[in-house]
Every structure is written in C-alpha cells, then in structure tokens.
Amino acid sequence: MFKRKSKLKRIFDDKLRSLMTETRDEWEQAKFIENHLDDYDQEVFIRRKITESKHFYLYKEAKARNLGRD
C-alpha cells in the first residue's frame, strides 16, 4: 500500500523536475530574444514574464516538496 504512494510521488517529482528544466529553457530563450530585439516589443516582454512566473512557481512547488538535487 505504501509502495504505491512512494512510487506515485517519485513519478510526479520526476515530472516536476522535467517541467522545471523545460520552463528554465523557455525563460532563457525568451530573455535572449528580448535582449536581441532592436525595438521594444511588449508582447515579447509579456511572454518572458509569463515564462519567468511559471518557472518560479514550479521552483516554489519543488521547495515545498523538499526536492533537492539527486
């Protein structure tokens, strides 16, 4: 009974880790695009802020779950 719970936790923790790496990559790509624009584009700024918010939300969730570097 308890093995199933630990297995599910491990599966969801792995999904959380992969989501964190994906959002970090998207965030860095958005920062790169924003830095290399010639003029100010509000849509690019908004997309960067959205990806940044997603990444930090996942970071806080990982911290709450006590996920460390394994």
Side-chain angles (χ1 to χ4, degrees), residues 26-38 44:
E26 288 176 16
W27 179 31
E28 291 188 5
Q29 183 181 16
K31 284 194 302 186
F32 178 79
I33 291 170
E34 185 179 15
N35 288 336
H36 287 85
L37 282 178
D38 291 335
V44 174

Side-chain angles (χ1 to χ4, degrees), residues 2-50:
F2 292 108
K3 285 188 173 200
R4 179 179 167 101
K5 185 176 180 181
S6 65
K7 182 180 178 183
L8 284 175
K9 182 182 181 328
R10 188 176 65 244
I11 289 171
F12 284 108
D13 289 348
D14 291 341
K15 285 183 182 182
L16 179 60
R17 283 188 186 102
S18 66
L19 271 175
M20 285 181 67
T21 57
E22 287 176 22
T23 56
R24 185 186 65 228
D25 294 340
E26 288 176 16
W27 179 31
E28 291 188 5
Q29 183 181 16
K31 284 194 302 186
F32 178 79
I33 291 170
E34 185 179 15
N35 288 336
H36 287 85
L37 282 178
D38 291 335
D39 58 344
Y40 180 77
D41 189 5
Q42 189 172 7
E43 183 179 345
V44 174
F45 175 74
I46 291 170
R47 286 184 186 216
R48 181 187 57 84
K49 291 300 281 186
I50 289 171

